[in-house]
Amino acid sequence: MSGRTAAVTGIGAITPIGSGREALWDALVAGANGAGPITRFDASAYAVRIACEVKDFDPDKHIDKRESRKMDLCTQYGVAAALMAWKDSGLADCGFDPSRAGAIIGSGVGGIQTLEDQHSTLLSKGPRRVSPYFIPMLIADMPAGMTSILLGLRGPNFATVSACASGAHAIGEALRAIQRGDADVVVTGGCEAAVCPLAAAGFASMKALSSRNDDPARASRPFDAGRDGFVLGEGAGIVVLEELEHAKRRGARIDALLVGYGATADAYHMTAPDPGGEGAAAAMAAALSDAHASPDEVQYVNAHGTSTPLNDKCETEALKAVFGDHAKRLAVSSTKSMIGHLLGAAGGVEFAATALAIANSVVPPTINYETPDPECDLDYVPNQARDARITLALTNSFGFGGHNAVLALRRFEGQG
């Protein structure tokens, strides 16, 4: 590559515990909990009746009403977070070359609520009543497409789809676009809105979800011996990545640098992780190699940490394989303990959380950590945030299908 480096200069987020960079960060440090009974639809007949829903989201506060009504909730989340990140970056006030700015945004299932609604319309009212906006509302590339339309970005524009690694893959591909010289600025991350009847039923049927219906606040408990599955979440995490010299020339605030990206496959099973964690370990090693860093330089890992029995055990083994004795000295936390599993949005929100952890010198906690699991024996930053000066951090994202994406972030020493 050219040696070009990407800086994080803008952060936007729509999450179950708070929206916007300040609200998200304050909630993460406080150990807030976004889980509760499902309110989006009547879930009384469902085996799992809890989720991490976004509260009080009003698309009209972010997007022109004429535009938002033509978007699935997934796209609304993504575009709203993108507009937040853009404003946070200050680029609109400094000027930019639109042909050198792009949008790469991932989603796992795109407009699944729209698919469900329009299928019901087809069955109940016939094919002529299906909305002319059905297809553009459904397809997973629309968050990137609408972001480019609303911000006037004419550079690289596409979506990544790799289940729960979609957001991290989008950010990694944005880094590559900047390194190749295809763009100087990329709005990137992930979004998802799958708290709907069909998706909830599907995830419950495959027994991936926690069934602590009577105790939702304690349901998402990554690395705890009592974990029993993840809590379905929704939202968006979008950042502005900017070529470092471009950002420095305009005096931008830089939260962190994105210095490494590793992408691998387990090539093992449709939904289960590789028992030895080899694919995850290879992705972490690749991200470190890409960053020209050694394992002992890392202080913090934002874990994939889903709260499923298999994932947390395999991720722990992968961390030990990559970091050796240094694994015991790592701070490893799962922000999914607070926000649930945001599927295709997870990598975007967790990247934002990691950048904010570096900028603020604080490691977010893993909440609901009560009983240690002998097979998960690392420092998971239990229940309380911790002050720590972080110079290098990783954030892990793994998805059904065996997709692994790992991003390496480094502290920017040029300011503050």
Side-chain angles (χ1 to χ4, degrees):
M1 290 293 175
S2 62
R4 286 160 58 96
T5 302
V8 181
T9 58
I11 292 175
I14 304 289
T15 85
I17 58 173
S19 298
R21 63 178 288 150
E22 289 83 9
L24 172 62
W25 181 244
D26 290 347
L28 290 173
V29 172
N33 195 318
I38 290 175
T39 62
R40 192 70 51 74
F41 59 91
D42 180 4
S44 57
Y46 284 60
V48 175
R49 300 183 291 279
I50 58 174
C52 285
E53 297 177 332
V54 171
K55 290 86 173 174
D56 303 325
F57 175 72
D58 181 357
D60 296 343
K61 291 182 178 177
H62 307 276
I63 311 164
D64 182 275
K65 184 179 293 187
R66 291 170 299 179
E67 297 294 339
S68 69
R69 65 193 293 268
K70 295 180 287 189
M71 300 178 189
D72 182 88
L73 184 58
C74 173
T75 302
Q76 291 178 354
Y77 285 160
V79 169
L83 296 177
M84 285 181 186
W86 191 252
K87 182 179 181 181
D88 189 49
S89 76
L91 271 162
D93 300 326
C94 295
F96 67 100
D97 179 353
S99 69
R100 302 285 302 162
I104 304 173
I105 298 173
S107 172
V109 292
I112 190 169
Q113 179 68 69
T114 293
L115 173 64
E116 188 174 341
D117 292 344
Q118 292 302 310
H119 185 248
S120 295
T121 298
L122 173 67
L123 296 181
S124 62
K125 299 179 180 178
R128 293 181 183 276
R129 298 294 299 275
V130 171
S131 169
Y133 295 111
F134 167 47
I135 297 300
M137 289 175 72
L138 166 70
I139 51 183
D141 63 314
M142 205 48 62
M146 290 307 302
T147 295
S148 71
I149 291 168
L150 296 178
L151 293 177
L153 313 179
R154 296 180 177 274
N157 186 278
F158 57 92
T160 54
V161 179
S162 52
C164 306
S166 299
H169 273 127
I171 295 169
E173 294 306 311
L175 170 65
R176 293 292 186 251
I178 289 173
Q179 289 176 326
R180 285 194 303 266
D182 296 342
D184 297 322
V185 175
V186 184
V187 181
T188 182
C191 53
E192 203 77 89
V195 183
C196 63
L198 185 61
F203 279 113
S205 291
M206 65 188 301
K207 302 190 185 304
L209 303 179
S210 170
S211 57
R212 290 176 188 254
N213 294 311
D214 297 330
D215 191 13
R218 297 173 67 239
S220 185
R221 42 195 320 108
F223 304 108
D224 184 88
R227 66 191 183 276
D228 68 333
F230 69 80
V231 177
L232 185 63
E234 60 176 357
I238 307 291
V239 299
V240 173
L241 289 186
E242 190 170 349
E243 194 277 324
L244 177 58
E245 296 305 318
H246 187 279
K248 289 166 67 175
R249 280 196 297 274
R250 70 181 185 90
R253 180 199 58 215
I254 295 173
D255 290 306
L257 303 177
L258 174 57
V259 294
Y261 168 42
T264 68
D266 283 357
Y268 172 72
H269 189 270
M270 182 182 291
T271 56
D274 176 355
E278 293 181 10
M284 284 187 266
L288 288 171
S289 176
D290 194 41
H292 304 288
S294 62
D296 60 4
E297 292 181 69
V298 178
Q299 293 88 32
Y300 173 53
V301 177
N302 186 295
H304 186 57
T306 57
S307 184
T308 61
L310 271 181
N311 175 83
D312 295 357
K313 173 179 178 292
C314 294
E315 186 169 15
T316 298
E317 291 180 0
L319 287 163
K320 291 178 179 177
V322 172
F323 290 96
D325 292 341
H326 185 64
K328 295 284 187 181
R329 294 188 286 274
L330 288 172
V332 180
S333 70
S334 171
T335 41
K336 288 185 180 71
S337 61
M338 294 175 269
I339 62 177
H341 193 347
L342 274 55
L343 310 178
V349 174
E350 289 158 14
F351 179 86
T354 306
L356 290 169
I358 292 172
N360 291 286
S361 296
V362 176
V363 176
T366 302
I367 69 167
N368 291 325
Y369 187 84
E370 297 175 329
T371 307
D373 178 348
E375 294 186 305
C376 298
D377 55 353
L378 300 179
D379 174 9
Y380 302 109
V381 195
N383 301 313
Q384 298 289 329
R386 181 186 302 165
D387 292 338
R389 190 176 190 278
I390 305 163
T391 56
L392 188 66
L394 300 185
T395 177
N396 291 342
S397 290
F398 311 133
F400 287 166
H403 311 295
N404 305 305
V406 177
L407 301 164
L409 296 87
R410 188 178 289 281
R411 186 182 190 87
F412 177 59
E413 302 288 1
Q415 66 183 21

